[in-house]
Structures are given as structure tokens and as C-alpha cells.
Amino acid sequence: MLLWTIQHKAVYEQLLKCGIMRADEQHLFCEDDFPHAYKWIAEQMSERVGQPPRDVYYPVWAWYQWEGARKRPDMRSHRRWTKKGEPIVLLTIDVPDKDVLLSDFDMWHCVLNNVYLPLSEKDDVNHTETEKVSSWSRIFQIDTQSDYWDTPKSTQATFWELRQEWVLKAEHFISA
């Protein structure tokens, strides 16, 4: 499956050196704010894709679709997620389909914010904790069409590890 992942230059260099990259718990984006969400997605990965390699607790993240199209992410908007002047690398990769879990990026924010994931305005009411957590599985229905979620669809991909032989292209950028 053709995907794109944005990594720090040091992470890419480590991939070249070791031949494999796995998510480092110390460098998760907003890990201090969203531990429940990262644990939940890891559990979903285990159930839907398979168990992680030994000592791997969190998946690697990539893009499958960006703003409604199968295209590489626009690095002008992604640069804001890193510190100014930081070297980053956009990797075009080909990961075996069986190893990838796709999910809706916008809907993922309900998981991050620990809230119910509605599909309509009528559905956006109070729910029990069990209903809330159960609703999160909707993020995996990436073909869901709803007026409530009408932004151009961006689809994220998660997988347990990235292998050097899956890298098709590396583009270097400096965060602006």
C-alpha cells in the first residue's frame, strides 16, 4: 500500500543505519495529552492487524489519503507540526496491505478528545462511556459519507514498523 510518512531527519538516518524503524514512546506527538488515545489505537492495531513485535507499544503513522485525494501531503501545512528550522523527511513508502490499519483523520480527533463520535447532528447528544468508546470504531469506516463530516477526507495509516526496503523515495525539508 502506497503511503507517506513524515519523520525527523534523525529518525530517517536511524532507519538507514538499522534497516527498521519503530515508534519511540518518548517522541509521540502530544503523548502527554492523549495517552488513552494512543493506547486505544494500539489495542485496535493488535485486534485488527496483529500483535506488535516484541517491545513495540505504539504504531508508526503515515498518510493514505490527503484532503480527499490519493496524493502526498502538502508539506507547507505539515511543517507547522514541527519546530521551526527542524530537518524533516517525507518518505514515500510501500507497506504490505496486511500490516496497515486505515482510519479517518478528522474522526480520530473524537478519540483524541475522549468524546463520542457522532455521524449526524441528531446523534450528537449525551452517551454512556460504553457508547462513547464503541462509537470510536467508526474511524475505521473510511468510506463513511456524512454531511456531519463533510471536509475533504484525509485518511491516516498505522503499522507496527517501517522497513528500509519499503522506502521508495525520501524528500528532505526544513520546517518553516
Side-chain angles (χ1 to χ4, degrees):
M1 182 178 303
L2 185 66
L3 305 170
W4 297 271
T5 184
I6 302 163
Q7 300 294 331
H8 295 277
K9 182 180 177 186
V11 170
Y12 176 61
E13 290 170 349
Q14 188 69 19
L15 171 65
L16 294 177
K17 181 180 175 184
C18 298
I20 195 165
M21 183 198 82
R22 295 175 173 156
D24 183 342
E25 189 174 355
Q26 296 178 348
H27 296 103
L28 291 178
F29 180 66
C30 297
E31 189 251 340
D32 290 339
D33 294 331
F34 307 111
H36 74 278
Y38 287 101
K39 288 176 183 161
W40 181 83
I41 197 74
E43 290 168 3
Q44 296 300 309
M45 288 281 301
S46 294
E47 291 176 19
R48 297 167 185 264
V49 175
Q51 294 297 312
R54 186 178 180 173
D55 297 327
V56 173
Y57 303 102
Y58 298 101
V60 176
W61 296 75
W63 292 106
Y64 171 80
Q65 177 173 296
W66 176 248
E67 295 182 342
R70 287 279 288 141
K71 62 181 181 180
R72 73 190 264 295
D74 182 342
M75 293 304 292
R76 291 171 293 187
S77 63
H78 278 314
R79 290 181 186 176
R80 64 186 153 93
W81 293 345
T82 58
K83 294 177 185 170
K84 185 175 181 170
E86 190 170 26
I88 54 177
V89 183
L90 172 64
L91 300 174
T92 302
I93 57 179
D94 188 8
V95 179
D97 292 5
K98 67 177 182 56
D99 296 333
V100 177
L101 181 60
L102 299 177
S103 59
D104 184 291
F105 174 69
D106 290 318
M107 291 180 176
W108 163 245
H109 288 78
C110 287
V111 181
L112 286 174
N113 292 311
N114 201 22
V115 298
Y116 181 83
L117 196 164
L119 290 182
S120 67
E121 191 170 329
K122 183 180 174 182
D123 188 31
D124 196 0
V125 294
N126 291 335
H127 293 86
T128 67
E129 181 71 15
T130 301
E131 290 171 330
K132 175 187 72 175
V133 174
S134 179
S135 76
W136 294 346
S137 65
R138 295 172 176 170
I139 73 171
F140 305 117
Q141 300 166 1
I142 60 171
D143 294 329
T144 298
Q145 295 298 318
S146 165
D147 292 338
Y148 199 74
W149 297 95
D150 65 352
T151 59
K153 186 156 308 256
S154 293
T155 306
Q156 58 191 8
T158 52
F159 44 95
W160 291 122
E161 61 188 12
L162 175 59
R163 297 186 170 274
Q164 184 178 356
E165 61 264 24
W166 297 344
V167 176
L168 304 175
K169 184 178 182 181
E171 299 173 77
H172 295 263
F173 295 89
I174 301 294
S175 294

